[in-house]
Amino acid sequence: MTDTKAREILVTSALPYANGSIHLGHMLEYIQTDIWVRYQRHIGSTCHYVCADDAHGTAIMLRAEQEGITPEQLIANVQAEHEQDFSDFNVSFDNFYSTHSPENREFAEYIYNACQEKGHIASRTITQAFDPEKQLFLADRFIKGTCPKCKTEDQYGDNCEACGATYSPADLIKPKSAISGATPIQKDSTHLFFKLPNFEALLKEWTRSGSLQSEIANKLAEWLDSGLQEWDISRDAPYFGFEIPGQKNKFFYVWLDAPIGYMASFKNLCERTESLDFDHYWNKESSTELYHFIGKDIINFHGLFWPAMLHAAEFRTPTAVYAHGFLTVNGQKMSKSRGTFIKASTYLRHLNPEYLRYYFAAKLNNKVDDIDLNLEDFVQRVNSDLVGKVVNIASRSAGFISKKFDGQLSASISEPELLKAFTDEQLVIAEYYENREFGKAIKSIMTLADQANQYIADKAPWVLAKQEGCEQQVQDICSTGLNMFRMLMIYLKPVLPIMTKDAATFLNDDLAWSSLGTPLVAHSIEKFKPLITRIEASQIEAIVEDSKIEVAKELALKANKD
């Protein structure tokens, strides 16, 4: 295993877009990242975790206009909502910032200027669709019309949801602006391009350096083999974002400054934390580690554009970019009509966040496969594992210790070999956490929980408690049970921060990873209180119904505004 003592790690999750709520599909990524970050801190690594709202772009500008507020007011409102959801799910950011910040402007300009000075920026005139009513250029997603292939109406400008065809907006039949309804016209504009082909050799080497999962490296090889294209990094006014230095009415495309938001958020943290040095983590000779957790849909930005820009500006490139798949619910894409498009806040009104953290952990691996949230399996897995197995060990053992032994554990260990079997799993579970094989870690931990329950069932302290002269045996059995429970809690600490915090209070112990091999002897515990309750099917039904109601409200609100 890697020497954890010397590790200095910076971790990021992809930036949520600041024009909508966090849903459970988003939470998959933040929970995955948070478990990995908490594990690193648990074993003694120095690990910083930063993120930010992605706050720029046409969509932000248009939604703010629709709501009758400024873009700044919109992103502030959304950020407050996002921060609340992340806090409620116990995502342990060291800093959650915004791309609409002075630090982000500074780094965006610095990187752009560095690229320009080295000849990596081109300028040329392009022809684009233009909304004559709103007086703005239209991205493909803001153009709708009839599919040229299957003739389905009301399809977006780049692909048809009905037949799956891809095409150019110019191919649409009767195209309309999705913003104003006006018929788009063609208009010329000068744009700035990042010369990505200049970095082909660098990217071919970097994408095969072990920094990416093999599936992702193979996907990016398709881009590299077919020839890289220059990347349009400018947008015309009106646009909510940063104006490009030396250009009039030209703004950085949102995807240029979004990943730079990782740097900006960390810089802001450094400014508020005297002991942290930005250059130590970001200079090109840095010995620190940098990890990005992202969804598979944005790998081209993180696997090609981002390392190229960093290299051009002489910053370090990421140690690794870890991509995950999408979240499905009950085997299908999240659906608003079925009530399976579930917002984080809707879930939280009905259920403990720890349930979802545990279920995601049990399903996650280090591949790019989609993860399914099967609601029936979710209820069964949480109730069986956390309530029926893990907490059961403590509840069956604690009562006897409190009532018969004044909350005092035995002065010696009666089953050293059994406890050693739990300790011996330390390296295996550590390796699983390190490699993001959380499902395998959970499986190993639950195997230990089964062993602990079997031990208590075989020893039956409730039978011995009724027999004279068996007091020491009862204390020893229950002390062994609670020591096994303690080790399970140490192993589960990255996944279940609240439950393990409550368990730490109950056990009068800090549940340190380094103390796995040191059982509690002659130790006082507090009175046991239930650590987690069962999920009821009615709670799941309520979440689904609430989600349907919220969608109906949103549609009614949109109809009134239109």
Side-chain angles (χ1 to χ4, degrees):
M1 228 177 84
T2 314
D3 174 16
T4 58
K5 296 259 187 272
R7 294 179 76 181
E8 296 176 289
I9 306 169
L10 175 58
V11 179
T12 74
S13 296
L15 312 187
Y17 200 42
N19 78 332
S21 299
I22 300 295
H23 55 68
L24 298 194
H26 294 126
M27 285 312 308
L28 176 70
E29 179 171 306
Y30 302 102
I31 288 172
Q32 180 191 33
T33 318
D34 187 64
I35 290 170
W36 197 81
V37 165
R38 285 180 181 273
Y39 163 71
Q40 295 297 343
R41 293 169 179 161
H42 196 22
I43 62 170
S45 303
T46 298
C47 189
H48 307 287
Y49 180 20
V50 300
C51 196
D53 264 347
D54 180 4
H56 289 154
T58 305
I60 301 272
M61 179 181 74
L62 293 173
R63 181 177 161 185
E65 184 182 303
Q66 190 180 38
E67 294 191 9
I69 57 177
T70 65
E72 287 83 0
Q73 286 173 306
L74 172 67
I75 62 176
N77 294 346
V78 172
Q79 182 161 346
E81 181 190 322
H82 286 182
E83 287 186 5
Q84 186 63 56
D85 288 342
F86 291 135
S87 173
D88 289 344
F89 267 102
N90 299 298
V91 178
S92 58
F93 295 126
D94 290 295
N95 196 33
F96 188 83
Y97 204 40
S98 170
T99 58
H100 193 64
S101 66
E103 293 92 343
N104 208 39
R105 182 192 292 271
E106 178 190 331
F107 282 121
E109 291 181 356
Y110 179 88
I111 289 172
Y112 168 77
N113 286 332
C115 291
Q116 190 179 49
E117 284 166 17
K118 293 176 180 177
H120 299 311
I121 303 294
S123 171
R124 64 174 179 272
T125 300
I126 62 171
T127 304
Q128 284 179 289
F130 184 79
D131 185 327
E133 196 172 303
K134 290 291 289 183
Q135 288 291 299
L136 55 79
F137 286 95
L138 295 169
D140 293 352
R141 69 183 181 281
F142 291 122
I143 304 169
K144 283 190 166 185
T146 300
C147 172
K149 301 279 169 52
C150 72
K151 307 299 186 284
T152 302
E153 295 180 358
D154 202 33
Q155 295 305 302
Y156 285 102
D158 52 0
N159 70 86
C160 175
E161 291 183 345
C163 73
T166 57
Y167 41 73
S168 152
D171 298 329
L172 278 175
I173 301 166
K174 294 182 182 175
K176 298 283 182 191
S177 164
I179 301 165
S180 70
T183 301
I185 61 171
Q186 296 297 303
K187 189 172 179 180
D188 289 349
S189 176
T190 302
H191 275 232
L192 298 168
F193 293 81
F194 177 61
K195 295 181 181 178
L196 191 62
N198 291 3
F199 300 89
E200 185 178 330
L202 166 89
L203 292 171
K204 280 187 172 175
E205 183 183 338
W206 186 78
T207 56
R208 293 298 186 188
S209 66
S211 295
L212 303 170
Q213 294 129 298
S214 57
E215 313 100 293
I216 297 300
N218 292 340
K219 184 67 185 169
L220 292 180
E222 293 174 18
W223 288 54
L224 288 158
D225 292 344
S226 63
L228 296 173
Q229 303 297 309
E230 292 185 349
W231 179 40
D232 189 344
I233 59 166
S234 64
R235 293 296 183 267
D236 292 280
Y239 193 81
F240 183 60
F242 295 139
E243 201 156 4
I244 299 175
Q247 302 288 327
K248 192 177 179 185
N249 292 329
K250 301 285 180 188
F251 292 79
F252 287 126
Y253 173 43
V254 59
W255 262 110
L256 180 127
D257 70 64
I260 295 170
Y262 303 141
M263 303 173 84
S265 185
F266 186 63
K267 176 72 169 177
N268 179 257
L269 178 65
C270 292
E271 286 165 354
R272 296 187 288 105
T273 313
E274 287 183 12
S275 59
L276 267 183
D277 176 37
F278 179 87
D279 290 335
H280 179 61
Y281 280 82
W282 284 95
N283 81 73
K284 63 180 181 179
E285 306 300 333
S286 178
S287 60
T288 64
E289 299 169 56
L290 171 63
Y291 298 97
H292 300 309
F293 284 74
I294 62 164
K296 63 182 178 182
D297 55 327
I298 54 173
I299 190 61
N300 56 329
F301 295 106
H302 289 79
L304 298 174
F305 305 132
W306 180 229
M309 286 196 305
L310 288 168
H311 182 79
E314 299 193 27
F315 289 109
R316 60 93 42 83
T317 50
T319 308
V321 176
Y322 295 138
H324 60 82
F326 298 136
L327 180 71
T328 57
V329 180
N330 292 339
Q332 295 178 292
K333 188 177 176 182
M334 289 194 298
S335 161
K336 290 186 175 182
S337 62
R338 287 192 294 269
T340 57
F341 189 92
I342 302 167
K343 289 182 181 179
S345 56
T346 308
Y347 172 96
L348 289 162
R349 279 202 297 276
H350 299 277
L351 285 178
N352 183 334
E354 304 260 286
Y355 299 148
L356 193 68
R357 289 181 65 100
Y358 178 77
Y359 190 74
F360 280 168
K363 303 276 278 192
L364 276 161
N365 56 36
N366 58 13
K367 303 289 190 294
V368 195
D369 308 326
D370 292 347
I371 303 292
D372 187 49
L373 169 57
N374 180 290
L375 295 174
E376 195 176 313
D377 180 54
F378 169 60
V379 174
Q380 190 179 344
R381 175 78 69 103
V382 169
N383 289 347
S384 168
D385 287 4
L386 295 186
V387 182
K389 293 182 183 180
V390 177
V391 175
N392 192 46
I393 300 163
S395 62
R396 290 166 106 189
S397 306
F400 293 108
I401 297 291
S402 293
K403 289 172 195 164
K404 292 185 172 291
F405 307 103
D406 199 26
Q408 195 76 3
L409 299 182
S410 295
S412 62
I413 297 300
S414 60
E415 302 278 0
E417 287 305 309
L418 182 56
L419 293 189
K420 184 178 180 298
F422 274 59
T423 311
D424 285 349
E425 284 296 298
Q426 180 177 353
L427 290 179
V428 174
I429 292 169
E431 202 67 33
Y432 287 150
Y433 273 127
E434 177 67 42
N435 294 327
R436 307 176 325 286
E437 291 278 13
F438 301 156
K440 289 182 179 178
I442 295 297
K443 192 174 180 182
S444 290
I445 294 164
M446 286 306 127
T447 299
L448 294 176
D450 286 336
Q451 290 173 22
N453 277 298
Q454 190 62 53
Y455 167 78
I456 294 167
D458 290 346
K459 296 292 184 181
W462 48 88
V463 174
L464 293 172
K466 294 171 185 172
Q467 299 172 13
E468 261 188 58
C470 293
E471 287 83 0
Q472 189 59 55
Q473 277 180 273
V474 171
Q475 187 183 22
D476 287 349
I477 293 162
C478 294
S479 295
T480 298
L482 288 173
N483 267 298
M484 290 188 287
F485 169 74
R486 171 181 174 267
M487 283 191 271
L488 295 174
M489 287 290 94
I490 291 172
Y491 287 140
L492 285 168
K493 199 172 181 180
V495 179
L496 303 170
I498 299 304
M499 184 172 158
T500 49
K501 184 181 177 186
D502 292 342
T505 301
F506 154 60
L507 292 168
N508 275 327
D509 183 72
D510 61 4
L511 302 179
W513 184 272
S514 57
S515 69
L516 271 162
T518 312
L520 303 179
V521 291
H523 178 89
S524 288
I525 61 166
E526 301 297 323
K527 192 173 178 185
F528 178 77
K529 294 175 187 171
L531 295 168
I532 203 160
T533 55
R534 291 174 59 82
I535 304 177
E536 301 300 332
S538 59
Q539 292 172 290
I540 300 296
E541 289 162 13
I543 289 173
V544 170
E545 285 309 307
D546 263 17
S547 297
K548 289 179 183 174
I549 291 166
E550 284 181 359
V551 168
K553 281 181 183 172
E554 283 175 14
L555 290 173
L557 196 64
K558 189 175 185 299
N560 289 337
K561 283 174 180 172
D562 291 346

